[in-house]
Amino acid sequence: MQLKLRAPAQRFRKLEKPEMIPINIIRHFFGLVAPNVSLDELSSLHDEVSNNSGLTPVQSIDFLLKKMSEENYKVFHQSISSVSRELLPGLLFIGGGWSIITVDDERIKVEDETGGVKSFDDLEDVPFSIFVGLQNEKQSSEARKLSPEGLEEESYETIFQIIRRHALARKRWIYDVIVATVMVNVFAVVTSLFAMQVYDRVIPTLAFATLYTLAVGMLVIYGTDFLLKTFRARLLDARTSYIDQAVSEDVYDHLMCVRMDRLPNQLGTLTGQISGLESARQFFTSSAVFVLVDFPFCLLFIAMIYMVAGPVAFVYFSFLIISLIVGVVSQKMSQRLIKRITSKSNEKLGFLVDSIRGLEAIKTFGGKKDATKRWSALNKEISTFSLSQKGISTTSSTLASTIGQFAYLTAIIFGVHQISEGLMTQGSMIAVSILGGRVLGPAGQAVNHLIQFETTRQTMELINGLLKLPREQMTSEKPVMPMHRVGQVAMRDVSFSYQGQEAPQLQIPSLDIKAGERIALLGSIGSGKSTLIKLLARLYRPTQGNIKIDGVDLWQIDEYFINNNFGYHSQSPELFKGTLKENLLFGRSLSDKYLVSVVNDLGIDRIADQSDKGLDRPISEGGSGLSGGQRQMISLGRVLIGSKNIWIFDEPTASLDNHSQELFVNGLKSRMRADDILIFSTHNIKLAMELSNRIIVLEGGKISKDAPTSVVQVRKTA
């Protein structure tokens, strides 16, 4: 989601004491949330609140709730960018005034103080505003559960549940598909009855008028059948396309919200988890029609055969049962093979990514032969498992087809005996053959679906592994939107361990950072500098302890506030495919004048001048074609764009020459305000002395020294 940055600091301050919420907005809001509240009582309470000039609007709503004995509700406020539909209705402070936001018939509606209503397709379309809502504390506490370690966790939505949610969002398409399929199958029954009438009545009497009348009726049915099948196919294509897009967006959104310290270490596994979405979606959308319509009609056709030919129906019913048994057995046999194929395919994908990124090292260190050998080994393993699995699949499908042929042959023989005994007519035999074909098809599909299900199940397990990963903020907790600039950062009893490692990589008993401090983190390689940087940037969450911003837990603060008040630069900056301007702005809306000032101050204009397109110069994936210093400077420019309150840098000048380093230092100094906080790690002692007023030295993940820069400088000189 792209956020519009229009003077965020002023907007935060503006909400500290805006005009009192109008009574008509209050009435509407509480009328939706608490319809039993008397409007006269609410008006009286609102007047009481209005006379209390010491309350902010948010505090006013909290006051009203307590007066109405609504103790189960808690008032919260956050940016509209963090709000989901489930939180509506609520209040919006937008454009200097108050509005109420609701959802009605899949549309978002915003009604202002004058009664004017604006509609939006999605919450992302609503202009930037502060959302004020109510949280049911009782329901939230019941939704949360405790893990064995005593940490709060929350249930996650599986990929099947996500697909089902979007598939059932608008159920009309399901009814349309069912009706169309029912009609198509009914026409199949009519076709069999047509054949039976022709053989039993038309041919013996040569009643051509009856034949032509029946034929005209069948032509109408065939035309309608064509239209219904075409309509069903287009409806399914359109709906599955929507489901595919919506599910992909949900999974990608979850990936964007996952805690960085809990992501899988294997890139191939993570990529495989996301790329398996399409196969899972295709399986469920095709299987849904089969399970809901085709298979039930398979049983109906067997019932029709019984009505027409009596015991012959048991032949096809037995075939159906045998086919299902073949499918189940094949599925069980495929489980282990498909699991190993999936695992090796992900390993192959990860190795391919590593090979592309490390191609330079492979070539220069003579690793091409070894890499090719490993690639061939992976291909051989996957091919071996795939051949075995395909053998099972082919055998089961062929076996089901052969059993179907035997069923048809048996039904013919049995039918002839029925005819010889006068229990069936030749027309009935033709009708049974047609209806029997409608049984053989779904039975064969059942075998294929059962085998495909195992592949889909393995894919779903992979995707669910991603969806299980904890998010940065639990949905049961509403983010807090601070209304002022950051004044203090406090760490208490903080320790952090990477996944799979018991020993903590960082242990900070206590650390306080105040407004205006410029802190340099020093220490040897592996001392914990980068880990501490990532904790303060809210990329990693402490294994124990907490980090608080002005008394509020860092992980409870609204993401929008973090994005607009925290500037972070990674030790390994990443550039993305697009233009130079897009990599600098990263979706933010800023004036060209301000952008050009940053570009000129950091010397990025020299990078732009290397192309006749200037700031629209194309950037390849990962910044390929640019030097390490150029990528570093573009990444630093991305941080310096925007008004930040806390500046966090991890080795900001690692790849810069002296001139570029000087440009960065001057550019940073000119943009930092007196009460801003600067935290940076470096091995450059000169940079540390120039930019900092406090130095923290880390050793073995612990603070070994914490002193003013002037003291450290004096001791060094002495």
Coordinates of all heavy atoms in Angstrom, one line a residue, residues 243-302:
I243 N -10.7 -14.3 -7.4 CA -10.3 -15.0 -6.2 C -8.8 -15.1 -6.2 O -8.1 -14.9 -5.1 CB -10.9 -16.4 -6.1 CG1 -12.4 -16.3 -5.9 CG2 -10.3 -17.2 -5.0 CD1 -13.2 -17.6 -6.0
D244 N -8.2 -15.4 -7.3 CA -6.7 -15.5 -7.4 C -6.1 -14.2 -7.1 O -5.1 -14.2 -6.3 CB -6.4 -15.9 -8.9 CG -4.9 -16.2 -9.0 OD1 -4.3 -16.6 -8.1 OD2 -4.3 -15.9 -10.1
Q245 N -6.6 -13.1 -7.6 CA -6.0 -11.8 -7.2 C -6.2 -11.4 -5.8 O -5.2 -11.0 -5.1 CB -6.7 -10.7 -8.1 CG -6.2 -9.3 -7.9 CD -6.9 -8.3 -8.7 OE1 -7.7 -8.6 -9.6 NE2 -6.6 -7.0 -8.4
A246 N -7.4 -11.7 -5.2 CA -7.6 -11.3 -3.8 C -6.8 -12.2 -2.9 O -6.2 -11.7 -1.9 CB -9.1 -11.5 -3.5
V247 N -6.7 -13.5 -3.2 CA -5.9 -14.4 -2.3 C -4.4 -14.0 -2.4 O -3.7 -14.0 -1.3 CB -6.1 -15.8 -2.7 CG1 -5.2 -16.8 -2.0 CG2 -7.6 -16.3 -2.4
S248 N -4.0 -13.7 -3.6 CA -2.5 -13.3 -3.7 C -2.2 -12.1 -2.9 O -1.2 -11.9 -2.3 CB -2.2 -13.1 -5.2 OG -2.4 -14.3 -5.9
E249 N -3.2 -11.1 -3.0 CA -3.0 -9.9 -2.2 C -3.0 -10.1 -0.7 O -2.2 -9.5 0.0 CB -4.1 -8.9 -2.6 CG -4.0 -8.3 -4.0 CD -5.1 -7.4 -4.3 OE1 -6.0 -7.2 -3.5 OE2 -5.1 -6.8 -5.4
D250 N -3.8 -11.0 -0.2 CA -3.9 -11.3 1.2 C -2.5 -12.0 1.6 O -2.0 -11.6 2.7 CB -5.0 -12.3 1.5 CG -6.3 -11.5 1.6 OD1 -6.3 -10.3 1.4 OD2 -7.4 -12.2 1.9
V251 N -2.1 -12.9 0.9 CA -0.8 -13.6 1.2 C 0.4 -12.7 1.2 O 1.2 -12.7 2.0 CB -0.6 -14.8 0.3 CG1 0.8 -15.5 0.6 CG2 -1.7 -15.9 0.5
Y252 N 0.4 -11.8 0.1 CA 1.5 -10.9 0.0 C 1.5 -9.8 1.1 O 2.5 -9.5 1.7 CB 1.4 -10.2 -1.4 CG 2.6 -9.3 -1.6 CD1 3.8 -9.8 -2.1 CD2 2.5 -7.9 -1.5 CE1 4.9 -9.0 -2.3 CE2 3.6 -7.1 -1.7 CZ 4.8 -7.6 -2.1 OH 5.9 -6.8 -2.4
D253 N 0.2 -9.4 1.5 CA 0.1 -8.5 2.6 C 0.6 -9.1 3.9 O 1.2 -8.4 4.7 CB -1.4 -8.1 2.7 CG -1.6 -7.1 3.9 OD1 -1.2 -6.0 3.9 OD2 -2.2 -7.6 4.9
H254 N 0.3 -10.4 4.1 CA 0.8 -11.1 5.3 C 2.3 -11.1 5.3 O 3.0 -10.9 6.3 CB 0.2 -12.5 5.3 CG 0.7 -13.3 6.6 ND1 0.1 -13.1 7.8 CD2 1.7 -14.2 6.8 CE1 0.7 -13.9 8.7 NE2 1.7 -14.5 8.1
L255 N 2.9 -11.4 4.1 CA 4.4 -11.4 4.0 C 5.0 -10.1 4.4 O 6.0 -10.0 5.0 CB 4.8 -11.8 2.5 CG 6.3 -11.7 2.2 CD1 7.0 -12.8 3.0 CD2 6.5 -11.9 0.7
M256 N 4.3 -9.0 3.9 CA 4.8 -7.6 4.2 C 4.7 -7.3 5.7 O 5.4 -6.5 6.3 CB 4.0 -6.6 3.5 CG 4.2 -6.6 2.0 SD 5.9 -6.2 1.4 CE 6.6 -7.9 1.1
C257 N 3.8 -8.0 6.5 CA 3.6 -7.8 7.9 C 4.3 -8.7 8.8 O 4.2 -8.6 10.0 CB 2.1 -7.7 8.2 SG 1.2 -6.4 7.3
V258 N 5.0 -9.7 8.2 CA 5.6 -10.8 9.0 C 6.9 -10.2 9.7 O 7.6 -9.3 9.2 CB 6.0 -12.0 8.1 CG1 7.0 -12.9 8.9 CG2 4.8 -12.7 7.7
R259 N 7.1 -10.6 10.9 CA 8.3 -10.2 11.6 C 9.5 -10.7 10.9 O 9.6 -11.8 10.5 CB 8.3 -10.8 13.1 CG 7.3 -10.1 14.0 CD 7.1 -10.8 15.3 NE 8.4 -11.2 15.9 CZ 8.5 -12.0 17.0 NH1 7.4 -12.4 17.6 NH2 9.7 -12.3 17.5
M260 N 10.5 -9.8 10.7 CA 11.7 -10.1 10.0 C 12.5 -11.2 10.6 O 13.1 -12.0 9.9 CB 12.6 -8.8 9.8 CG 12.0 -7.7 9.0 SD 12.1 -8.1 7.2 CE 13.9 -8.1 7.0
D261 N 12.5 -11.3 11.9 CA 13.3 -12.3 12.6 C 12.7 -13.7 12.6 O 13.3 -14.6 13.0 CB 13.6 -11.9 14.1 CG 12.3 -11.6 14.8 OD1 11.4 -10.9 14.3 OD2 12.1 -12.3 15.9
R262 N 11.5 -13.8 12.0 CA 10.8 -15.1 12.0 C 10.7 -15.6 10.5 O 10.0 -16.7 10.3 CB 9.4 -15.0 12.6 CG 9.5 -14.6 14.1 CD 10.3 -15.5 14.9 NE 9.6 -16.8 15.1 CZ 8.6 -17.0 16.0 NH1 8.3 -16.1 16.9 NH2 8.1 -18.2 16.1
L263 N 11.2 -14.9 9.6 CA 11.2 -15.4 8.2 C 12.1 -16.6 8.0 O 13.1 -16.7 8.7 CB 11.7 -14.3 7.2 CG 10.7 -13.1 7.0 CD1 11.4 -12.0 6.1 CD2 9.5 -13.7 6.2
P264 N 11.7 -17.5 7.1 CA 12.6 -18.7 6.9 C 13.9 -18.3 6.4 O 14.1 -17.4 5.6 CB 11.8 -19.5 5.8 CG 10.4 -19.0 5.9 CD 10.5 -17.6 6.3
N265 N 14.9 -19.1 6.8 CA 16.3 -18.8 6.3 C 16.5 -19.2 4.9 O 17.4 -18.7 4.2 CB 17.3 -19.5 7.2 CG 17.3 -19.0 8.7 OD1 17.1 -17.8 8.9 ND2 17.5 -19.9 9.6
Q266 N 15.7 -20.2 4.4 CA 15.9 -20.7 3.0 C 15.0 -19.9 2.1 O 13.7 -19.9 2.2 CB 15.5 -22.2 3.0 CG 16.5 -23.0 3.8 CD 16.1 -24.5 3.7 OE1 15.0 -24.9 3.3 NE2 17.0 -25.3 4.2
L267 N 15.6 -19.2 1.2 CA 14.8 -18.4 0.2 C 14.0 -19.2 -0.7 O 12.9 -18.8 -1.1 CB 15.8 -17.5 -0.6 CG 15.1 -16.5 -1.6 CD1 14.2 -15.5 -0.8 CD2 16.2 -15.8 -2.3
G268 N 14.5 -20.4 -1.1 CA 13.7 -21.3 -2.0 C 12.4 -21.7 -1.3 O 11.3 -21.8 -2.0
T269 N 12.4 -22.0 0.0 CA 11.2 -22.4 0.7 C 10.2 -21.3 0.7 O 9.0 -21.5 0.5 CB 11.5 -22.8 2.1 OG1 12.4 -24.0 2.1 CG2 10.3 -23.2 2.9
L270 N 10.7 -20.1 1.0 CA 9.8 -18.9 1.1 C 9.2 -18.6 -0.3 O 8.0 -18.3 -0.4 CB 10.6 -17.7 1.6 CG 9.8 -16.4 1.7 CD1 8.6 -16.6 2.7 CD2 10.7 -15.2 2.2
T271 N 10.0 -18.7 -1.3 CA 9.5 -18.4 -2.7 C 8.5 -19.5 -3.1 O 7.4 -19.2 -3.7 CB 10.6 -18.4 -3.7 OG1 11.6 -17.5 -3.3 CG2 10.1 -18.0 -5.1
G272 N 8.8 -20.8 -2.7 CA 7.8 -21.9 -3.0 C 6.5 -21.7 -2.3 O 5.5 -22.1 -2.8
Q273 N 6.6 -21.2 -1.1 CA 5.3 -21.0 -0.3 C 4.4 -20.0 -1.0 O 3.2 -20.2 -1.0 CB 5.7 -20.4 1.1 CG 6.3 -21.5 2.0 CD 6.8 -20.9 3.3 OE1 7.2 -19.7 3.4 NE2 6.8 -21.6 4.4
I274 N 5.0 -19.0 -1.6 CA 4.1 -18.0 -2.3 C 3.7 -18.4 -3.7 O 2.6 -18.2 -4.1 CB 4.9 -16.6 -2.4 CG1 5.2 -16.2 -0.9 CG2 4.1 -15.6 -3.1 CD1 6.1 -15.0 -0.9
S275 N 4.6 -19.1 -4.4 CA 4.3 -19.5 -5.8 C 3.3 -20.6 -5.9 O 2.8 -20.9 -7.0 CB 5.6 -19.9 -6.5 OG 6.3 -21.0 -5.8
G276 N 3.1 -21.3 -4.8 CA 2.1 -22.4 -4.8 C 0.7 -21.9 -4.7 O -0.3 -22.8 -4.8
L277 N 0.4 -20.6 -4.7 CA -0.9 -20.1 -4.5 C -1.8 -20.5 -5.7 O -3.0 -20.9 -5.5 CB -0.9 -18.6 -4.4 CG -0.6 -18.0 -3.1 CD1 -0.5 -16.5 -3.2 CD2 -1.8 -18.4 -2.1
E278 N -1.3 -20.4 -6.9 CA -2.1 -20.6 -8.1 C -2.6 -22.0 -8.2 O -3.8 -22.3 -8.5 CB -1.3 -20.3 -9.4 CG -2.2 -20.4 -10.6 CD -1.4 -19.9 -11.9 OE1 -0.3 -19.5 -11.7 OE2 -2.0 -20.1 -13.0
S279 N -1.8 -23.0 -7.9 CA -2.2 -24.4 -8.0 C -3.3 -24.7 -7.0 O -4.2 -25.5 -7.2 CB -1.0 -25.4 -7.8 OG -0.4 -25.2 -6.5
A280 N -3.1 -24.2 -5.8 CA -4.1 -24.4 -4.7 C -5.5 -23.7 -5.1 O -6.5 -24.4 -5.0 CB -3.7 -23.8 -3.4
R281 N -5.4 -22.6 -5.7 CA -6.7 -21.9 -6.1 C -7.3 -22.6 -7.2 O -8.6 -22.8 -7.2 CB -6.3 -20.4 -6.5 CG -7.6 -19.6 -6.8 CD -7.9 -19.6 -8.2 NE -6.8 -19.2 -9.1 CZ -6.8 -19.3 -10.4 NH1 -7.8 -20.0 -11.0 NH2 -5.8 -18.9 -11.1
Q282 N -6.6 -23.1 -8.2 CA -7.1 -23.8 -9.3 C -7.8 -25.1 -8.9 O -8.9 -25.5 -9.3 CB -6.1 -24.1 -10.4 CG -5.6 -22.9 -11.1 CD -4.5 -23.2 -12.1 OE1 -3.9 -24.2 -12.1 NE2 -4.3 -22.3 -13.1
F283 N -7.1 -25.8 -7.9 CA -7.7 -27.1 -7.5 C -9.0 -26.8 -6.8 O -10.0 -27.5 -7.1 CB -6.7 -27.7 -6.5 CG -7.3 -29.0 -5.9 CD1 -7.3 -30.2 -6.6 CD2 -7.8 -29.0 -4.6 CE1 -7.9 -31.3 -6.0 CE2 -8.4 -30.1 -4.0 CZ -8.4 -31.3 -4.7
F284 N -9.1 -25.9 -5.9 CA -10.3 -25.7 -5.1 C -11.5 -25.2 -6.0 O -12.6 -25.5 -5.8 CB -10.1 -24.8 -4.0 CG -9.5 -25.5 -2.8 CD1 -8.2 -25.2 -2.4 CD2 -10.2 -26.4 -2.1 CE1 -7.6 -25.8 -1.4 CE2 -9.6 -27.1 -1.0 CZ -8.3 -26.8 -0.7
T285 N -11.2 -24.3 -6.9 CA -12.3 -23.7 -7.8 C -12.8 -24.8 -8.7 O -14.0 -24.9 -8.9 CB -11.8 -22.5 -8.6 OG1 -10.5 -22.9 -9.3 CG2 -11.5 -21.3 -7.7
S286 N -12.0 -25.7 -9.2 CA -12.4 -26.7 -10.1 C -13.1 -27.9 -9.3 O -14.1 -28.4 -9.7 CB -11.3 -27.3 -10.9 OG -10.3 -27.9 -10.1
S287 N -12.5 -28.2 -8.2 CA -13.1 -29.2 -7.3 C -14.4 -28.8 -6.7 O -15.3 -29.7 -6.5 CB -12.1 -29.6 -6.2 OG -10.9 -30.1 -6.7
A288 N -14.6 -27.5 -6.5 CA -15.8 -27.1 -5.8 C -17.0 -27.4 -6.7 O -18.0 -27.9 -6.3 CB -15.8 -25.6 -5.6
V289 N -16.9 -27.2 -8.0 CA -18.0 -27.5 -9.0 C -18.2 -29.0 -9.0 O -19.3 -29.5 -9.0 CB -17.6 -26.9 -10.4 CG1 -18.7 -27.3 -11.4 CG2 -17.5 -25.4 -10.3
F290 N -17.1 -29.7 -9.0 CA -17.2 -31.2 -9.1 C -17.9 -31.8 -7.9 O -18.8 -32.6 -8.0 CB -15.8 -31.8 -9.2 CG -15.8 -33.3 -9.1 CD1 -16.3 -34.1 -10.1 CD2 -15.4 -34.0 -7.9 CE1 -16.3 -35.5 -10.0 CE2 -15.4 -35.3 -7.8 CZ -15.8 -36.1 -8.9
V291 N -17.5 -31.3 -6.7 CA -18.0 -31.9 -5.4 C -19.5 -31.4 -5.2 O -20.3 -32.2 -4.8 CB -17.2 -31.5 -4.2 CG1 -17.8 -31.9 -2.9 CG2 -15.8 -32.1 -4.3
L292 N -19.8 -30.2 -5.6 CA -21.1 -29.6 -5.3 C -22.1 -30.0 -6.3 O -23.3 -30.1 -6.0 CB -21.0 -28.1 -5.2 CG -20.2 -27.5 -4.1 CD1 -20.2 -26.0 -4.2 CD2 -20.9 -27.9 -2.7
V293 N -21.7 -30.3 -7.6 CA -22.7 -30.5 -8.7 C -22.4 -31.8 -9.4 O -23.3 -32.7 -9.4 CB -22.6 -29.3 -9.7 CG1 -23.7 -29.5 -10.8 CG2 -22.9 -28.0 -8.9
D294 N -21.3 -32.0 -10.0 CA -21.0 -33.1 -10.9 C -21.2 -34.5 -10.1 O -21.8 -35.4 -10.6 CB -19.7 -33.0 -11.5 CG -19.6 -31.9 -12.6 OD1 -20.7 -31.5 -13.1 OD2 -18.5 -31.5 -13.0
F295 N -20.5 -34.6 -9.0 CA -20.6 -35.8 -8.2 C -22.0 -36.2 -7.7 O -22.4 -37.3 -7.9 CB -19.6 -35.8 -7.1 CG -19.4 -37.2 -6.4 CD1 -18.7 -38.2 -7.1 CD2 -20.0 -37.5 -5.2 CE1 -18.5 -39.4 -6.5 CE2 -19.9 -38.7 -4.6 CZ -19.1 -39.7 -5.3
P296 N -22.7 -35.2 -7.2 CA -24.1 -35.5 -6.8 C -25.0 -36.0 -8.0 O -25.8 -36.8 -7.8 CB -24.6 -34.2 -6.2 CG -23.4 -33.5 -5.7 CD -22.3 -33.9 -6.6
F297 N -24.7 -35.4 -9.1 CA -25.5 -35.8 -10.3 C -25.1 -37.1 -10.8 O -25.9 -37.9 -11.4 CB -25.4 -34.7 -11.4 CG -26.5 -33.8 -11.5 CD1 -26.4 -32.5 -10.9 CD2 -27.7 -34.1 -12.1 CE1 -27.4 -31.6 -10.9 CE2 -28.7 -33.2 -12.1 CZ -28.6 -31.9 -11.5
C298 N -23.8 -37.5 -10.5 CA -23.4 -38.9 -10.8 C -24.3 -39.9 -10.1 O -24.7 -40.9 -10.7 CB -21.9 -39.0 -10.4 SG -21.3 -40.7 -10.7
L299 N -24.6 -39.6 -8.8 CA -25.5 -40.5 -8.1 C -26.9 -40.4 -8.6 O -27.7 -41.4 -8.6 CB -25.5 -40.0 -6.6 CG -24.1 -40.1 -5.9 CD1 -24.2 -39.6 -4.4 CD2 -23.6 -41.5 -5.9
L300 N -27.3 -39.2 -9.1 CA -28.7 -39.1 -9.7 C -28.8 -39.9 -11.0 O -29.8 -40.5 -11.2 CB -28.9 -37.6 -10.0 CG -30.3 -37.3 -10.7 CD1 -31.5 -37.7 -9.8 CD2 -30.4 -35.8 -11.1
F301 N -27.7 -39.9 -11.8 CA -27.8 -40.7 -13.0 C -27.9 -42.2 -12.7 O -28.6 -42.9 -13.4 CB -26.5 -40.4 -13.8 CG -26.5 -39.1 -14.4 CD1 -25.3 -38.3 -14.5 CD2 -27.6 -38.5 -15.0 CE1 -25.3 -37.1 -15.0 CE2 -27.6 -37.3 -15.6 CZ -26.5 -36.5 -15.6
I302 N -27.2 -42.6 -11.6 CA -27.3 -44.0 -11.2 C -28.8 -44.3 -10.8 O -29.3 -45.4 -11.1 CB -26.4 -44.3 -10.1 CG1 -24.9 -44.3 -10.5 CG2 -26.7 -45.7 -9.5 CD1 -23.9 -44.5 -9.5

